[in-house]
């Protein structure tokens, strides 16, 4: 098989075979076909060299057209990918640890930044944006500001590979991207330890919500924390909040109907640790009524489709054939879409998944569903007028089914609900008077109840999310962390009919535009004057007078609206007249021929507003009778919604959190049984309204703007300007007139001018030196905060086009990025040096500790071995001494028990001398036959009977012939008593390796025998002597003085003698040992 493969390969690479060619040569030019043919010549002798190929006409024509060829090649590759998709198998995929890189990404493209344009006007900017949009390059820089055109299609440039690509690199290294803006904010957060703010602005439908999603996605990637569950929760927050706060409008299928400011909280090291949402100005009126071509909030359609497919509509008392009035559009399409559209059902499953991931309990989710179903059922309640004897404008509920369904779902009494809807209480002079409501009044109360239910439910969901995503105090204190705020607010709107909601939305966009102008134009040019910088002033459209017309007191538009709302007899017509009388400026006008209309000249263009119903929407009254009834609900969540007071921004006050760090980090299904937040315990909000004064929507709106700006001004701003390329929402369609209007309104041309000429970064000398002194000074130096130090740093960094003012350094928008990269490089070197130094110090410290441990181990071992040797020696010595004592006690000859005549002892000296060697040889033979085990037993028996002896006769050195009969001395024929007794008495003790001591004279022998006999007789009075110890007797010895010729003879029946001869086997064993 191997040989066949080699043959095939050889045949394929043989010079005789034709070289490969292009698949479709007719689709390419002649020069390109010839160039490819030359490159693929197999014969290396005929193949042209690299130098020859560089001189080819095709290569020469490519000079100066690099960017154009790159785009054409990208288009060709994209087309080939769609025509011939290649599906790689599992084993063909390569997984490496290398980061994803775009080829030629390091080449800086001047077209990516509009500031680099030589000719700067509206036409060149439009041409550049249109050209890039045609190439699907939807992002373009204007200095440090990002322009994003909505592509109206899905692009594959938001994968994790691109997230890794835009992570801590130079902005010019990669094409413009929304991830680059998120990375810039994150790097400033970590580098400067200062809060950041990303402001996303633009018209409705320009892609602000999707841009906010992508920024949150990339910030979550950059601030990776160990808590995977927290990252998943943050990513699910936007989807859940938008399901309740977004709706389909005439110009946008997913339009934000509220203002959202998401704050992602990071530790000082840059790890994400929590999030917090602030919601403003929810368009509650959409719940009860929608304009033509628009829909209610998404969640109503999602829950209806989900419950329909789960066959639970009857459980929530929702009809299956006819849609509820709040979501009906007058056609049959609503129920058809709900029952047939797969997207609604998938969205409902996604919402359920979001609830579980974020941490909502099943009971809370079911309560939310019941409140939403209750709102839909309340919308079906209708009223009819009845006439009585005293009243003709009284209302009633003709069809009680809808009322009972609503009361059942909301867990309240239907009778109390009907009474709250059809009547109201009036307290006059201490008396309570019940008055009936008219049909219109009852309908208004019903709609106000629905709006209050939805608005408070939305606010509770936001507060619950904030509780579940609050930072863990064990990781970092919230005060020590830093925030990146992301503003996603409803865009500027101009419909065919604009009402009070569009007025509030456009005023909010005016405030955002003013914030942009202040940071980009006003503050910068003001500092030029204060610092003495010679800069050309840039003119821009300041909308401060327009904001004053809206917000100032007492003659601002909102103040006049509140004033007119306090008059019971005021109408929408009197409101418009009051506007015309007091708002005398160029931004306000009243069209002729239209009674209830007025116009406003906004920064984005003229808008005509319809004043019908503005007063009633601004009052937003909810009768106290309805609140009392809802507080009696058995649904605990519904009780909480109307028990917790509202803040000055119109939202529910934040509740006290009782949630542990463990339940935050664990997945929801693991922490389902844990104690959750007790929302009945309310923390008094600092801006909570405690007065009984009626709050209007205009007052809520004013406080909301103040609260939003107070959060935005804390951080360093980063701007993303979203542009809507066309109104038909078609992909790759660029409407020049429509884009030009947006460029003019947002001041892009002026922004390009000020970024070209101005200095967007102004840093104090002290802060600049403190931040960047590593670039020019040594670490141990402390340079002064002076101009000279700043100049040294800037010159060392090789920057150009910078200016020094009186107290600040003025830098271009790209200078800060370059300084940060240089500083990061220097710090990286320092970190490497520190790492090596710490490694060397650690190794040396470890070596010292190891040597010390080794010495200590040797000392311990030496002491232990010494102790063990001493213990063993002492044990052996004691055992030897005991053994010697036992041997002496057993082998010592017994004295004569019959008589002890002195004459026989004196006369038998010669006989005893002659028989002594024989006795000694017998003793040796006895020792040789003893076994160790028997020795031990015998020794113990001897010790038990206290038979130890001190002295024993020492036999002479010599070898006697063994007994021919092989008998032991005790088993052979017995010798005469006198001879045996004499032989036993002549034994003397000796040490090991010591020759037996010989008695020098018969007198010594007789004296020694007499002494032994006396010691045997007095046995228990003396302690036995150790082996080899013979006490020298002198005149002072008490035993010597007690000796007498009569007392030296022991008794016949000595105990020791009987024991010795009766234990011959033990003696034999001991001798063998």
């Amino acid at each position: 098989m191997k040989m066949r493969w080699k043959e095939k390969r050889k045949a394929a690479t043989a010079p005789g075979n034709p070289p490969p060619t292009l698949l479709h040569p007719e689709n390419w030019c002649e020069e390109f076909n010839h160039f490819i043919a030359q490159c693929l010549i197999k014969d290396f002798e005929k193949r042209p060299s690299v130098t020859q190929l560089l001189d080819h006409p095709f290569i020469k024509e490519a000079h100066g057209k690099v960017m154009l060829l790159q785009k054409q090649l990208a288009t060709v590759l994209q087309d080939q990918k769609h025509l011939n998709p290649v599906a790689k198998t599992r084993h063909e995929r390569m997984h490496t640890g290398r980061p994803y890189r775009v080829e030629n990404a390091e080449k800086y493209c001047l077209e990516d930044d509009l500031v680099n344009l030589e000719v700067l006007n509206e036409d060149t900017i439009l041409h550049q944006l249109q050209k890039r949009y045609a190439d699907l390059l939807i992002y373009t820089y204007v200095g440090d500001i990002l322009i994003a055109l909505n592509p109206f299609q899905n692009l594959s440039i938001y994968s994790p590979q691109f997230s890794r690509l835009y992570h801590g690199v130079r902005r010019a290294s990669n094409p413009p991207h929304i991830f680059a803006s998120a990375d810039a904010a994150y790097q400033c957060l970590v580098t400067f330890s200062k809060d950041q703010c990303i402001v996303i602005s633009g018209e409705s439908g320009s892609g602000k919500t999707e841009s906010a999603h992508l920024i949150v996605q990339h910030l979550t990637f950059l601030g990776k924390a160990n808590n995977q569950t927290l990252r998943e929760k943050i990513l699910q927050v936007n989807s859940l909040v938008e399901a309740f706060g977004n709706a389909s409008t005439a110009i946008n299928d997913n339009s934000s109907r509220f203002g959202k400011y998401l704050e992602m909280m990071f530790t000082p090291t840059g790890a994400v640790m929590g999030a917090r949402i602030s919601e403003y100005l929810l368009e509650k009126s959409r719940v009860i009524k929608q304009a033509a071509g628009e829909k209610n909030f998404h969640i109503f359609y999602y829950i209806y489709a989900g419950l329909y497919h789960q066959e639970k509509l009857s459980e929530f008392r929702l009809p299956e054939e006819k849609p509820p009035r709040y979501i009906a559009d007058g056609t049959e399409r609503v129920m058809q879409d709900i029952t047939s559209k797969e997207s609604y059902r998938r969205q409902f499953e996604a919402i359920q998944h979001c609830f579980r991931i974020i941490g909502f309990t099943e009971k809370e989710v079911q309560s939310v569903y019941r409140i939403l179903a209750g709102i839909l059922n309340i919308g079906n309640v209708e009223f009819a007028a009845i006439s009585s004897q005293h009243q003709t404008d009284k209302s009633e509920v003709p069809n009680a089914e809808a009322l009972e369904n609503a009361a059942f779902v909301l867990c309240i009494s239907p009778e109390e609900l009907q009474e709250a809807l059809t009547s109201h209480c009036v307290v006059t002079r201490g008396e309570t008077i019940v008055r009936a409501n008219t049909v219109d009044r009852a309908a208004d109360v019903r709609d106000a109840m629905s709006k209050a239910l939805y608005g408070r439910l939305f606010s509770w969901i936001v507060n619950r999310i904030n509780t579940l995503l609050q930072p863990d105090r064990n990781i970092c204190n919230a005060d020590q962390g830093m925030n990146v705020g992301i503003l996603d607010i409803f865009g500027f709107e101009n419909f065919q009919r604009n009402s009070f909601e569009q007025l509030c939305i456009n005023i909010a966009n005016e405030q955002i535009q003013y914030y942009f102008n202040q940071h980009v134009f006003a503050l910068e040019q003001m500092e030029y004057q204060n610092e003495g910088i010679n800069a050309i002033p840039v003119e821009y459209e300041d909308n401060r007078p327009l904001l004053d017309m809206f917000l100032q007191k007492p003659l601002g538009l909102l103040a006049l609206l509140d004033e007119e709302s306090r008059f019971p007899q005021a109408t929408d017509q009197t409101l418009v007249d009051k506007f015309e009388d007091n708002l005398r400026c160029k931004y306000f006008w009243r069209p002729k021929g239209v009674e209830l209309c007025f116009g406003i000249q906004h920064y984005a263009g003229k808008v005509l507003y319809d004043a019908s119903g503005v007063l009633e929407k601004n009052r937003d009254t909810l009768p106290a009778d309805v609140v009392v009834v809802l507080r009696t609900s058995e649904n605990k969540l519904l009780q909480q919604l109307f028990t917790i007071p509202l803040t000055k921004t119109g939202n529910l006050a934040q509740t006290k959190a009782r949630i542990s760090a463990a339940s935050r980090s664990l997945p929801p299904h693991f922490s389902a049984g844990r104690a959750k937040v007790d929302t009945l315990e309310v923390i008094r909000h600092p801006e909570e309204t405690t007065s009984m004064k009626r709050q209007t929507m205009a007052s809520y709106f004013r406080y909301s703007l103040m609260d939003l700006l107070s959060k935005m001004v804390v951080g360093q701003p980063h701007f993303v300007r979203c542009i809507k390329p066309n109104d038909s929402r078609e992909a790759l369609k660029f409407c020049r007139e429509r884009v030009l209007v947006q460029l003019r309104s947002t001041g892009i041309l002026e922004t390009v001018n000020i970024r070209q000429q101005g200095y967007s970064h102004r840093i104090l000398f002290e802060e600049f030196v403190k931040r960047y002194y590593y670039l020019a000074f040594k670490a141990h130096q402390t340079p002064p905060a002076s101009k000279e130090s700043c100049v040294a740093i800037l010159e060392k960094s090789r920057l150009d086009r910078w200016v020094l003012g009186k107290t600040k350094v003025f830098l271009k928008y790209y200078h800060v990025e370059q300084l940060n990269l240089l500083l990061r490089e220097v710090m990286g070197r320092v970190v490497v040096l520190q790492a090596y130094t710490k490694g060397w110090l650690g190794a040396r410290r470890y070596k010292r500790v190891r040597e010390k441990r080794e010495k200590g181990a040797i000392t311990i071992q030496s002491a232990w071995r010494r102790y063990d040797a001493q213990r063993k020696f002492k044990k052996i010595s004691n055992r030897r001494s005991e053994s010697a004592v036992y041997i002496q006690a057993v082998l010592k000859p017994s004295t004569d028990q019959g008589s002890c005549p002195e004459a026989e002892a004196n006369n038998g000296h010669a006989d005893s001398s002659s028989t002594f060697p024989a006795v000694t040889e017998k003793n040796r033979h006895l020792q040789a036959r003893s076994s160790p085990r028997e020795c031990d037993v015998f020794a113990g028996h001897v010790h038990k009977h206290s038979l130890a002896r001190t002295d024993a006769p020492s036999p002479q050195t010599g070898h006697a012939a063994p007994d021919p009969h092989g008998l032991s001395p005790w088993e052979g024929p017995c010798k005469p008593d006198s001879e045996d007794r004499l032989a036993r008495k002549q034994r003397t003790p000796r040490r090991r390796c010591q020759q037996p001591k010989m008695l020098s004279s018969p007198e010594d022998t007789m004296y020694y025998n007499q002494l032994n006999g006396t010691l045997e007789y007095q046995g228990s009075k003396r302690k036995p002597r150790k082996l080899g110890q013979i006490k020298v007797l002198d005149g002072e010895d008490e035993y010597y003085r007690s000796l007498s010729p009569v007392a030296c003879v022991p008794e016949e029946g000595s105990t020791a003698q009987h024991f010795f001869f009766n234990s011959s086997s033990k003696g034999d064993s001991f001798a063998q040992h």
Side-chain angles (χ1 to χ4, degrees):
M1 190 69 182
K2 187 175 181 181
M3 295 299 295
R4 290 176 60 188
W5 180 81
K6 288 184 177 180
E7 292 176 359
K8 289 182 179 180
R9 183 181 179 186
K10 184 176 181 181
T13 57
N17 294 330
T21 59
L22 295 173
L23 182 61
H24 300 288
E26 64 277 3
N27 295 338
W28 309 97
C29 64
E30 183 179 355
E31 291 82 3
F32 184 65
N33 278 299
H34 185 267
F35 177 75
I36 294 298
Q38 293 294 316
C39 293
L40 298 179
I41 295 177
K42 294 184 178 180
D43 191 352
F44 68 93
E45 296 179 353
K46 298 180 180 180
R47 187 186 308 148
S49 62
V50 177
T51 306
Q52 295 174 348
L53 289 176
L54 291 177
D55 294 334
H56 196 275
F58 175 75
I59 299 297
K60 289 185 176 181
E61 291 181 0
H63 289 301
K65 302 178 180 179
V66 178
M67 296 301 302
L68 179 62
L69 292 176
Q70 284 181 354
K71 295 178 182 178
Q72 293 180 358
L73 184 59
T75 305
V76 171
L77 293 176
Q78 192 72 16
D79 296 340
Q80 292 293 330
K81 183 178 180 180
H82 290 298
L83 293 176
N84 301 314
V86 179
K88 289 188 176 182
T89 57
R90 181 76 178 177
H91 61 276
E92 289 177 335
R93 298 176 184 174
M94 297 180 64
H95 300 277
T96 63
R98 298 179 180 179
Y100 179 78
R101 295 184 181 278
V102 177
E103 294 187 7
N104 298 328
E106 67 278 359
K107 186 174 181 60
Y108 181 68
C109 182
L110 299 178
E111 297 179 354
D112 290 343
D113 197 340
L114 297 180
V115 176
N116 298 320
L117 296 177
E118 296 181 0
V119 179
L120 187 60
N121 52 43
E122 292 180 349
D123 293 335
T124 56
I125 293 177
L126 272 177
H127 174 73
Q128 188 67 22
L129 292 177
Q130 185 176 6
K131 179 182 176 182
R132 294 177 62 81
Y133 187 71
D135 296 334
L136 287 179
L137 300 175
I138 63 173
Y139 296 111
T140 307
Y141 290 129
V142 180
D144 52 354
I145 300 171
L146 181 69
I147 296 179
L149 278 76
N150 193 342
F152 293 112
Q153 61 177 323
N154 295 325
L155 301 179
S156 58
I157 58 174
Y158 307 109
S159 62
Q161 293 179 338
F162 281 87
S163 294
R164 291 189 291 269
L165 188 64
Y166 291 89
H167 184 193
V169 297
R170 295 178 65 246
R171 191 187 65 167
S173 301
N174 299 311
H177 203 284
I178 190 71
F179 288 170
S181 298
D183 181 67
Y186 179 79
Q187 298 302 332
C188 291
L189 175 85
V190 177
T191 304
F192 305 140
S193 299
K194 184 179 180 182
D195 293 346
Q196 306 295 311
C197 175
I198 302 177
V199 181
I200 308 173
S201 60
E203 290 190 1
S204 179
S206 58
K208 300 184 300 299
T209 301
E210 188 63 27
S211 297
H213 280 191
L214 297 173
I215 289 175
V216 172
Q217 171 187 332
H218 194 57
L219 287 176
T220 307
F221 169 80
L222 296 175
K224 286 182 178 179
N226 296 328
N227 194 342
Q228 179 69 24
T229 306
L230 176 61
R231 299 203 299 268
E232 294 178 357
K233 288 180 180 180
I234 294 176
L235 293 177
Q236 298 295 331
V237 164
N238 282 330
S239 300
L240 180 60
V241 174
E242 289 168 8
F244 284 85
N246 289 23
S248 176
T249 63
I251 60 177
N252 188 2
D253 291 337
N254 188 31
S255 177
S256 298
R257 310 317 299 167
F258 72 107
K260 177 182 62 179
Y261 189 72
L262 174 63
E263 295 175 275
M264 295 184 63
M265 291 170 276
F266 295 84
T267 62
T269 58
V272 61
M273 63 175 181
R276 180 172 56 249
I277 298 179
S278 300
E279 52 97 5
Y280 304 99
L281 306 171
L282 178 68
E283 188 185 0
K284 297 183 294 183
S285 60
R286 181 170 292 272
V287 175
I288 62 174
K289 188 177 180 180
Q290 306 91 38
E294 297 187 358
K295 291 183 179 181
N296 209 323
F297 291 102
H298 293 324
I299 188 61
F300 289 111
Y301 305 95
Y302 297 163
I303 187 176
Y304 215 109
L307 295 177
Y308 173 81
H309 289 285
Q310 293 180 359
E311 299 180 356
K312 292 183 178 180
L313 287 177
S314 59
E315 180 181 345
F316 293 90
R317 302 295 178 92
L318 295 174
E320 296 185 4
E321 295 82 10
K322 185 179 179 180
R325 188 174 65 89
Y326 282 163
I327 63 174
D329 59 353
T331 63
E332 299 292 336
R333 293 185 56 186
V334 176
M335 288 303 299
Q336 184 179 357
D337 292 344
I338 289 175
T339 56
S340 61
K341 271 191 175 182
E342 191 70 18
S343 59
Y344 282 162
R345 185 180 63 84
R346 290 198 302 266
Q347 289 293 341
F348 177 74
E349 295 175 354
I351 293 304
Q352 287 184 314
H353 177 70
C354 291
F355 274 127
R356 288 193 300 268
I357 291 297
I358 295 176
F360 285 80
T361 63
E362 187 64 27
K363 185 178 180 181
E364 291 173 340
V365 174
Q366 290 301 318
S367 298
V368 170
Y369 291 166
R370 296 189 75 87
I371 294 175
L372 293 174
I375 294 173
L376 294 178
N377 281 294
I378 290 175
N380 293 333
V381 177
E382 297 180 355
F383 303 94
I386 60 174
S387 59
S388 62
Q389 183 178 1
H390 303 286
Q391 287 182 327
T392 58
D393 55 354
K394 188 176 181 181
S395 61
E396 66 174 0
V397 180
N399 185 8
E401 182 181 0
L403 182 69
E404 292 176 354
N405 291 338
F408 172 79
V409 176
L410 297 177
C411 303
I412 57 179
S413 172
E415 293 78 10
E416 294 179 357
L417 177 60
Q418 181 176 357
E419 184 180 358
L421 293 175
T422 58
S423 63
H424 65 281
C425 297
V426 179
V427 179
T428 304
R429 296 178 181 179
E431 297 182 359
T432 302
I433 302 174
V434 179
R435 293 181 178 178
N437 293 334
T438 62
V439 174
D440 295 338
R441 174 64 180 173
D444 291 341
V445 172
R446 175 200 62 195
D447 294 340
M449 177 180 175
S450 300
K451 291 191 295 183
L453 278 171
Y454 193 81
R456 291 176 182 244
L457 176 63
F458 182 75
S459 184
W460 177 85
I461 291 175
V462 171
N463 290 343
R464 189 77 173 94
I465 291 174
N466 292 337
T467 301
L468 295 170
L469 297 185
Q470 63 183 350
D472 189 358
R473 295 180 180 178
N474 297 328
I475 299 176
C476 181
N477 192 359
D479 298 334
Q480 299 177 355
M482 298 169 292
N483 300 333
V484 176
I486 305 165
L487 177 63
D488 176 23
I489 200 168
F490 23 55
F492 187 86
E493 294 181 350
N494 187 4
F495 299 147
Q496 293 182 354
R497 181 184 180 276
N498 302 289
S499 184
F500 179 68
E501 294 79 17
Q502 282 68 44
L503 177 63
C504 294
I505 289 173
N506 293 339
I507 293 176
N509 280 272
E510 289 283 354
Q511 185 70 68
I512 301 302
Q513 180 64 24
Y514 175 74
Y515 177 80
F516 175 81
N517 292 338
Q518 286 295 110
H519 278 274
V520 176
F521 301 108
L523 297 179
E524 184 171 330
Q525 299 193 62
M526 186 184 302
E527 291 195 4
Y528 293 160
Q529 298 177 2
N530 297 335
E531 295 288 329
I533 302 299
N534 186 14
I536 301 176
V538 177
E539 296 183 359
Y540 65 96
E541 188 68 27
D542 189 7
N543 63 339
R544 175 65 182 271
L546 180 59
L547 276 179
D548 292 339
M549 186 197 76
F550 285 129
L551 302 176
Q552 71 179 355
K553 293 182 179 182
L555 298 179
L557 187 144
L558 296 180
L560 294 174
L561 177 60
D562 284 343
E563 181 182 349
E564 194 70 12
S565 299
R566 296 189 187 99
F567 296 108
Q569 304 300 326
T571 62
D572 296 329
Q573 182 65 45
T574 60
L575 175 65
V576 175
D577 294 339
K578 178 172 287 190
F579 286 164
E580 185 179 12
D581 294 338
N582 293 276
L583 302 177
R584 298 182 178 275
C585 61
K586 63 178 182 179
Y587 301 104
F588 177 88
W589 87 94
R590 187 175 180 182
K592 297 180 180 180
V594 183
E595 294 295 332
L596 298 179
C597 283
F598 61 92
I600 301 294
Q601 177 66 46
H602 290 281
Y603 77 97
K606 295 181 179 181
V607 180
L608 192 64
Y609 295 98
D610 187 358
S612 301
V614 172
L615 279 178
E616 189 62 30
K617 291 179 181 179
N618 185 52
R619 291 189 181 110
D620 193 28
T621 56
L622 181 64
D625 305 278
V626 176
V627 176
V628 172
V629 172
L630 293 176
R631 285 180 178 178
T632 61
S633 173
E634 297 178 0
N635 189 332
K636 292 185 178 180
L637 176 57
L638 187 56
Q639 291 180 10
Q640 296 173 18
L641 295 184
F642 289 89
T643 303
I644 302 174
L646 298 179
T647 63
K648 288 187 176 182
T649 59
N651 304 325
L652 289 181
Q654 180 68 42
T655 55
K656 185 176 182 179
R658 285 184 179 178
I659 187 167
S660 61
S663 60
R664 272 194 302 268
S665 59
L666 290 177
H669 56 277
F670 283 108
S671 59
R674 297 180 179 270
K676 296 297 179 179
V677 176
D678 184 5
T679 53
L680 289 177
E681 296 191 13
V682 181
I683 298 177
R684 285 291 179 182
H685 194 276
E687 295 183 355
E688 182 179 322
T689 64
T690 56
S691 64
M692 297 301 294
K693 182 180 178 180
R694 291 284 184 179
Q695 295 294 325
T696 61
M697 290 298 298
S699 62
Y700 287 148
F701 176 73
R702 185 182 294 107
Y703 282 115
S704 296
L705 283 182
M706 293 171 56
D707 184 66
L708 176 61
L709 286 177
S710 65
K711 294 179 180 179
M712 293 172 57
V713 297
V714 175
Q716 178 182 349
H718 302 264
F719 296 99
V720 177
R721 310 292 280 185
C722 296
I723 303 295
K724 188 178 180 181
N726 60 80
D727 291 331
S728 58
R729 290 175 282 181
E730 296 181 13
L732 299 179
K733 182 180 178 180
F734 190 88
C735 182
R736 293 177 61 91
E737 293 77 13
R738 190 73 183 85
V739 174
L740 181 59
V741 170
Q742 298 176 69
L743 293 179
R744 288 174 177 173
S745 62
T746 55
I748 294 297
L749 182 61
E750 293 81 4
T751 304
V752 175
N753 275 327
I754 199 168
R755 284 293 178 262
Q756 274 188 342
Q757 305 173 10
Y759 304 92
S760 58
H761 294 274
R762 287 88 59 188
I763 308 175
L764 291 171
F765 290 160
E766 182 179 0
E767 183 179 355
F768 183 80
V769 173
K770 180 180 178 181
R771 187 185 301 175
Y772 299 113
Y773 80 95
Y774 282 106
L775 300 178
F777 299 93
K778 296 182 180 180
H780 65 275
Q781 295 179 344
T782 305
S786 60
K787 284 187 177 182
E788 291 73 15
S789 301
C790 297
V791 170
I793 296 173
L794 293 170
E795 291 179 350
K796 187 70 174 180
S797 304
R798 298 179 181 179
L799 300 182
D800 56 354
R801 301 181 63 185
W802 46 266
V803 176
L804 294 180
K806 298 177 181 178
T807 60
K808 292 184 178 181
V809 179
F810 287 77
L811 303 174
K812 293 289 185 179
Y813 63 91
Y814 51 84
H815 283 161
V816 173
E817 181 187 12
Q818 296 176 3
L819 288 172
N820 291 339
L821 291 175
L822 291 174
L823 182 62
R824 190 185 308 169
E825 183 180 356
V826 172
M827 298 303 293
R829 296 173 183 173
V830 173
V831 170
V832 172
L833 181 60
Q834 289 178 348
Y836 277 99
T837 305
K838 291 178 180 179
W840 178 78
L841 291 174
R844 188 180 67 172
R845 191 182 304 112
Y846 171 75
K847 186 176 180 180
R848 291 178 179 177
V849 172
R850 187 179 61 183
E851 293 177 354
K852 187 176 181 180
R853 289 181 177 179
E854 290 178 354
K855 291 180 180 179
I858 293 174
T859 304
I860 294 173
Q861 291 174 359
S862 175
W864 167 255
R865 287 171 181 169
R866 177 183 177 185
Y867 164 76
D868 189 56
Q870 291 178 351
R871 182 174 56 85
K872 289 180 179 179
F873 175 78
K874 186 175 180 180
K875 185 176 180 181
I876 294 173
S877 178
N878 293 339
R879 187 172 179 180
R880 287 179 177 177
S881 301
E882 293 175 0
S883 300
V885 171
Y886 298 153
I887 293 173
Q888 294 172 7
V890 173
L891 299 182
K892 183 183 294 184
S894 301
T895 56
D896 188 12
Q897 298 180 5
S899 62
C900 188
E902 296 178 1
E904 184 178 358
N906 295 330
N907 295 332
H909 174 71
D911 296 337
S912 63
S913 300
S914 62
T915 59
F916 181 79
V919 177
T920 303
E921 185 63 30
K922 290 179 181 180
N923 293 339
R924 291 180 182 176
H925 182 66
L926 179 63
Q927 294 177 1
R929 293 184 57 186
S930 301
S931 64
R933 181 175 181 86
E934 292 172 340
C935 175
D936 294 340
V937 174
F938 177 71
H941 193 66
V942 172
H943 179 71
K944 182 177 179 181
H945 291 81
S946 301
L947 296 179
R949 296 291 184 267
T950 304
D951 301 320
S954 178
Q956 285 187 354
T957 58
H959 301 280
D963 187 16
H965 300 284
L967 299 176
S968 63
W970 296 276
E971 293 178 353
C974 296
K975 296 183 179 181
D977 294 341
S978 60
E979 183 179 351
D980 184 65
R981 187 184 306 110
L982 182 61
R984 293 179 185 276
K985 290 182 179 180
Q986 288 180 347
R987 288 182 300 176
T988 58
R990 64 182 179 88
R991 293 188 180 90
R992 180 176 294 183
C993 301
Q994 181 182 5
Q995 296 297 329
K997 184 177 180 181
M998 301 298 296
L999 299 179
S1000 59
S1001 64
E1003 290 80 11
D1004 295 336
T1005 301
M1006 182 183 65
Y1007 166 73
Y1008 195 79
N1009 290 338
Q1010 290 177 355
L1011 178 61
N1012 282 338
T1014 303
L1015 295 178
E1016 177 117 358
Y1017 177 75
Q1018 297 178 353
S1020 60
K1021 298 182 179 180
R1022 295 266 303 195
K1023 293 184 179 180
R1025 290 175 179 166
K1026 294 183 180 179
L1027 182 62
Q1029 294 181 354
I1030 302 177
K1031 187 174 181 181
V1032 179
L1033 300 180
D1034 51 14
E1036 301 296 329
D1037 196 337
E1038 58 178 346
Y1039 295 100
Y1040 179 76
R1041 291 195 299 268
S1042 64
L1043 289 178
S1044 63
V1046 180
C1048 66
V1049 181
E1051 295 182 0
E1052 183 79 15
S1054 176
T1055 305
Q1057 187 174 2
H1058 287 292
F1059 177 79
F1060 177 79
F1061 287 103
N1062 291 334
S1063 305
S1064 60
S1065 61
K1066 295 181 181 179
D1068 294 342
S1069 299
F1070 194 82
Q1072 290 179 6
H1073 177 68

